[in-house]
Amino acid sequence: MKICVIGSGYVGLVSGACFADLGNNVICVDKNVNKISNLKNGVIPIYEPGLEELIQRNVKQKRLKFSTNISNSIIKSDIIFICVGTPTKIKSNEANLKYIFQVVKDLKKNLNKYKIIVTKSTVPVTTGDKIQKLLTTKTNKKLFDVVSNPEFLREGEAIRDFMFPDRVVVGTNSKKANDVLKNLYSPIIKKKGRYFNTSRRAAEVIKYAANGFLATKITFINEMSNLCEKLNVDVTDVSLGIGTDERIGARFLRAGPGYGGSCFPKDTRALISTSKKFKTDLSIVKSTINSNENRYKYLLTKINEILNNNLKNKKITFLGVTFKAGTDDMRDSASLKLIPYLIKKGAKVSYYEPTGIKKDFDKKKVVYFNNIKDACKNSDLLIIHTEWNEFKQLNFNRLINKKKFKIYDLRNLYSPKKMKNKNINYFSIGR
Ligand code: UDX
Ligand code: UDX
């Protein structure tokens, strides 16, 4: 099929490349001229394992193209996926739909034949209704259907999550559109996962409910980990003990520094703003947001305890600063709250980050190292911030070559018992 993906970000690029790999002709569109010219020269703008090779293969097979010409791309395509950003409006916590409505304007001008318009970006419930209303004129009613097809892609695992989904959710009451999308996804559904057709609004709710629930599940285990520390219980035992109950499920029960990224924080806030609009109180999601937003304060209290409330001139090294391993994305990463505080308290902060230096930190105040050894040298405190494989088997004594140093493992990568046997002053989460 002829597909146009509008918005070549984390979601649009992965979706476009995967659709091309399934044998479709895909044009990935973006308004960012640099991004498109880089993509045309084989330079991938984001860190996503496997994406570069997937794009190269499909560009070579002429199934995948890039363009800044949105009108031309729409005219040539039968299915249009909207994957532009839906950032949170600072004051109202609402999702900012200005980019979505910009795309709708371009669509309206280019409905040269029947098209299926799909919102893959996470959009507030009822956005599909608004798009349909904006597009409809007296004469073009049969020229399009607006469908909701939310994505459930985790950064760092996005290609796997696309190709092996637990389910594909397609929200439309149009038989014609549903048949086309069922056909489009059939190569994936054959292998694994379910194709689930529902109403457009239900599909929009499913996306928010999924992220709201996952964010709540993570926050639940994070709060349990605080209690476990007081009870001298290992939270990873609790995760295992409850996760083996199929009604609960073992995934997303890893206690850590709190959830970040471009989705959970944004989508939980957007869900609350929708609930306010429809006069319904979602008290659980509200407390999830509040608990997660304050988690960094708990971590800072621990860091102060670990360093006996004396941070001045202490050398603190972060291993990883992104919101999780497997990505270069800094959006809502815990480090963005932890590091400025430590600097303010006079600590000397440095970091090693597998995806490279981050512009979020002042280079003069927060020193970046391109290797673990130099970053860790002479540290008083080593904070393991993300769960990259290269952080999982470090010889701390050799690395830090300092008599007294401490480890604060925010991802529970190491065993407290083994650390104790090595006489390493080791702290972690919920243990
Ligand atoms: C986006 C939304 O942020 C997320 O809520 C949704 O679940 C999926 O789509 P992401 O791909 O991470 O996620 O967005 P982002 O990385 O911000 O990329 C959006 C892309 O759209 C950017 O490349 C931007 O340049 C492009 N864009 C934005 C357009 O091409 N046109 C526009 O009008 C606006
Ligand atoms: C999430 C959803 O998983 C995905 O379905 C949706 O489409 C987009 O948002 P993503 O934000 O990329 O994906 O990453 P994810 O792996 O879900 O982690 C989100 C945050 O939760 C990260 O900060 C991660 O460190 C944290 N997390 C995740 C935990 O703290 N513990 C866990 O057990 C799992």
Side-chain angles (χ1 to χ4, degrees):
M1 264 170 249
K2 293 196 182 69
I3 293 172
C4 164
V5 172
I6 302 175
S8 302
Y10 284 93
V11 173
L13 260 186
V14 170
S15 305
C18 288
F19 280 131
D21 212 46
L22 294 175
N24 300 287
N25 290 310
V26 179
I27 309 171
C28 277
V29 176
D30 205 292
K31 69 177 181 184
N32 182 322
V33 179
N34 283 339
K35 182 177 280 199
I36 292 299
S37 64
N38 281 337
L39 282 163
K40 284 180 174 174
N41 297 324
V43 176
I44 314 300
I46 55 171
Y47 179 96
E48 184 60 51
L51 185 59
E52 184 164 359
E53 195 263 328
L54 187 72
I55 288 177
Q56 274 164 359
R57 182 165 74 238
N58 285 285
V59 165
K60 204 160 141 243
Q61 298 290 332
K62 300 198 181 336
R63 286 193 296 257
L64 179 61
K65 293 189 176 72
F66 301 102
S67 166
T68 53
N69 185 330
I70 187 166
S71 302
N72 210 348
S73 307
I74 291 170
I75 285 169
K76 285 184 202 159
S77 306
D78 304 312
I79 310 176
I80 320 284
F81 282 90
I82 302 178
C83 296
V84 295
T86 50
T88 307
K89 278 185 194 157
I90 306 295
K91 288 206 181 52
S92 65
N93 271 340
E94 265 179 290
N96 185 340
L97 299 180
K98 67 178 178 182
Y99 300 129
I100 298 270
F101 294 137
Q102 176 53 48
V103 172
V104 171
K105 280 201 193 100
D106 291 314
L107 282 164
K108 191 160 189 171
K109 289 184 278 187
N110 296 289
L111 291 172
N112 57 324
K113 59 181 161 61
Y114 174 71
K115 293 185 193 297
I116 298 174
I117 293 151
V118 187
T119 53
K120 189 162 270 295
S121 289
T122 305
V123 292
V125 185
T126 73
T127 302
D129 306 345
K130 290 190 183 107
I131 293 175
Q132 174 139 1
K133 213 154 146 240
L134 286 168
L135 282 173
T136 302
T137 64
K138 287 196 191 61
T139 55
N140 71 359
K141 250 200 169 53
K142 283 292 128 228
L143 261 184
F144 67 92
D145 281 308
V146 179
V147 176
S148 166
N149 171 218
E151 45 84 22
F152 302 100
L153 309 178
R154 289 167 299 147
E155 288 184 29
E157 318 273 343
I159 295 171
R160 190 178 306 118
D161 286 349
F162 189 100
M163 291 299 194
F164 301 95
D166 290 337
R167 77 303 197 188
V168 171
V169 175
V170 169
T172 180
N173 293 328
S174 151
K175 186 180 176 326
K176 184 175 182 181
N178 186 45
D179 290 347
V180 170
L181 285 169
K182 198 164 192 171
N183 183 30
L184 172 69
Y185 279 107
S186 58
I188 302 179
I189 296 307
K190 272 191 197 119
K191 272 185 252 171
K192 176 181 177 292
R194 281 187 54 196
Y195 181 91
F196 177 51
N197 172 227
T198 181
S199 74
R200 186 169 60 205
R201 274 197 189 184
E204 291 169 342
V205 173
I206 286 166
K207 171 66 186 179
Y208 281 103
N211 276 3
F213 186 83
L214 290 169
T216 301
K217 191 174 181 185
I218 291 164
T219 306
F220 175 80
I221 201 66
N222 283 340
E223 290 198 341
M224 287 309 288
S225 77
N226 299 348
L227 180 62
C228 286
E229 287 175 11
K230 301 282 186 328
L231 297 168
N232 201 16
V233 163
D234 187 329
V235 70
T236 53
D237 292 343
V238 176
S239 299
L240 206 63
I242 64 172
T244 37
D245 179 331
E246 271 188 19
R247 293 169 302 173
I248 296 172
R251 295 178 64 187
F252 281 57
L253 278 175
R254 282 176 280 116
Y259 62 78
S262 70
C263 291
F264 286 170
K266 173 174 63 66
D267 295 351
T268 45
R269 291 186 192 115
L271 183 54
I272 292 304
S273 118
T274 299
S275 71
K276 277 185 189 142
K277 216 175 274 173
F278 290 85
K279 298 186 180 23
T280 307
D281 181 28
L282 297 181
S283 63
I284 293 173
V285 175
K286 266 191 222 162
S287 61
T288 289
I289 293 169
N290 182 49
S291 173
N292 189 67
E293 273 181 351
N294 289 303
R295 183 149 181 79
Y296 79 98
K297 292 176 191 161
Y298 182 85
L299 301 176
L300 288 172
T301 312
K302 293 291 292 183
I303 291 170
N304 270 302
E305 276 168 26
I306 292 168
L307 292 176
N308 310 313
N309 287 310
N310 171 15
L311 298 180
K312 199 151 178 46
N313 292 325
K314 287 289 188 309
K315 189 176 180 302
I316 301 177
T317 298
F318 277 72
L319 287 185
V321 286
T322 54
F323 82 93
K324 65 167 191 170
T327 182
D328 62 350
D329 200 337
M330 287 293 289
R331 290 181 277 193
D332 272 71
S333 174
S335 66
L336 294 173
K337 291 181 183 163
L338 297 174
I339 291 179
Y341 172 90
L342 298 172
I343 295 287
K344 214 169 62 198
K345 290 283 175 188
K348 303 259 176 282
V349 180
S350 55
Y351 69 99
Y352 163 71
E353 165 53 46
T355 63
I357 191 165
K358 296 299 166 209
K359 59 182 180 352
D360 309 75
F361 304 117
D362 174 346
K363 276 189 281 203
K364 288 194 268 333
K365 291 189 185 149
V366 186
V367 182
Y368 164 74
F369 288 90
N370 65 5
N371 69 85
I372 294 179
K373 195 168 178 318
D374 292 345
C376 294
K377 218 180 282 172
N378 301 325
S379 297
D380 297 297
L381 174 63
L382 184 58
I383 295 179
I384 304 176
H385 183 263
T386 41
E387 65 285 24
W388 290 91
N389 287 334
E390 60 184 291
F391 299 161
K392 291 180 178 168
Q393 290 181 322
L394 298 172
N395 178 336
F396 295 112
N397 283 312
R398 192 158 43 79
L399 258 184
I400 300 176
N401 66 30
K402 187 170 192 170
K403 270 275 156 282
K404 282 175 25 171
F405 65 85
K406 296 171 178 176
I407 312 274
Y408 190 19
D409 181 359
L410 303 185
R411 300 290 181 167
N412 289 345
L413 301 184
Y414 290 84
S415 136
K417 200 153 154 277
K418 285 192 185 138
M419 289 289 114
K420 201 165 158 52
N421 295 344
K422 289 181 182 165
N423 289 323
I424 289 178
N425 222 336
Y426 172 81
F427 302 82
S428 58
I429 300 280
R431 308 193 290 182

